[in-house]
Amino acid sequence: MKKTSVILIILLISIKVNACSCEWSGNFLRIANNSELVIKGKIIEHIYHTENGKRFTNYDEYFTETLNNEFDPYYGTGESIKVEILEIIRGKEERKIIEIFDTDGADCRASISDFKTGKIYVFATYKPERTGTKLPNETINDYAIGSCYESSLEYFPETNQVFGMIKGKSYKRKNRKYSYEKLKRKIT
């Protein structure tokens, strides 16, 4: 019994945990000026992916599929948002619709689950260069947003303003409203 307990403790201690570990890297203006693609885009839909390659826009159908196939909900599934590009602020992209993929918890990407369908956001994106496994249905042409910095802002068309951690020092992080036109001038 003692031998089994010791082995179990050694195994638990030696298990490598793969989780994102990063320090705050900056406000939106700082990040946007170094991003591959900065866009203003409208969320068309959330897409839920399973490891067998299926795509669902209805969460209940997706959930039923994961139960029926016993996928690991943390590694065998994924989520993305389909985004209609309304304006390219920085960078190049020929497509009018792109997908931004969610995090797997270890890759330091931001979660996308809180973005609302029909709302408009400004995103500072990048194309992930994974050497290991990708999320289901993710391709080299898809994008992600980072979680270790401010990578998205909410856009308000009625006032032409954005909201989020736009500028400021890391120890004074504060959400604020800001002119969209002024934001664009500082990025381009």
Side-chain angles (χ1 to χ4, degrees):
M1 180 67 179
K2 262 187 180 181
K3 190 174 183 179
T4 305
S5 296
V6 171
I7 291 172
L8 184 60
I9 289 170
I10 290 171
L11 283 173
L12 289 174
I13 290 171
S14 66
I15 292 175
K16 183 179 176 185
V17 177
N18 290 324
C20 173
S21 176
C22 60
E23 300 223 1
W24 176 253
S25 298
N27 59 56
F28 189 85
L29 282 174
R30 180 177 176 186
I31 299 307
N33 282 310
N34 295 303
S35 291
E36 291 178 45
L37 181 68
V38 180
I39 62 164
K40 178 172 76 172
K42 182 177 184 177
I43 307 300
I44 298 172
E45 64 187 350
H46 283 257
I47 303 169
Y48 307 95
H49 307 269
T50 58
E51 66 185 354
N52 61 358
K54 291 185 180 178
R55 301 164 66 92
F56 297 89
T57 55
N58 180 295
Y59 183 82
D60 293 333
E61 291 173 9
Y62 157 78
F63 187 71
T64 301
E65 178 76 8
T66 60
L67 288 177
N68 291 340
N69 288 286
E70 298 179 2
F71 296 124
D72 181 333
Y74 300 104
Y75 298 103
T77 61
E79 183 180 356
S80 65
I81 48 176
K82 193 177 280 190
V83 179
E84 176 187 3
I85 297 175
L86 302 175
E87 182 177 1
I88 295 176
I89 301 167
R90 178 188 176 98
K92 292 183 180 180
E93 176 56 68
E94 298 299 320
R95 298 171 292 167
K96 291 305 258 174
I97 296 176
I98 61 170
E99 273 189 75
I100 298 175
F101 271 76
D102 201 13
T103 182
D104 65 6
D107 55 15
C108 294
R109 295 182 192 185
S111 173
I112 58 165
S113 60
D114 289 336
F115 292 110
K116 307 288 185 234
T117 301
K119 287 234 180 211
I120 299 171
Y121 299 89
V122 177
F123 293 105
T125 68
Y126 68 95
K127 286 188 176 181
E129 295 178 14
R130 287 185 181 239
T131 54
T133 59
K134 295 183 181 295
L135 294 171
N137 298 320
E138 184 179 17
T139 72
I140 60 170
N141 294 317
D142 293 318
Y143 290 91
I145 54 175
S147 67
C148 302
Y149 45 81
E150 187 72 3
S151 56
S152 64
L153 303 171
E154 188 171 356
Y155 174 74
F156 298 97
E158 57 280 348
T159 60
N160 200 30
Q161 291 183 310
V162 291
F163 181 75
M165 290 181 222
I166 297 157
K167 61 183 189 172
K169 303 284 184 202
S170 64
Y171 59 88
K172 292 184 178 180
R173 287 187 254 168
K174 184 173 146 184
N175 287 330
R176 64 180 75 199
K177 280 195 173 182
Y178 199 77
S179 162
Y180 176 65
E181 294 303 321
K182 191 173 180 180
L183 179 84
K184 286 194 319 184
R185 284 193 303 273
K186 289 190 179 260
I187 294 172
T188 55

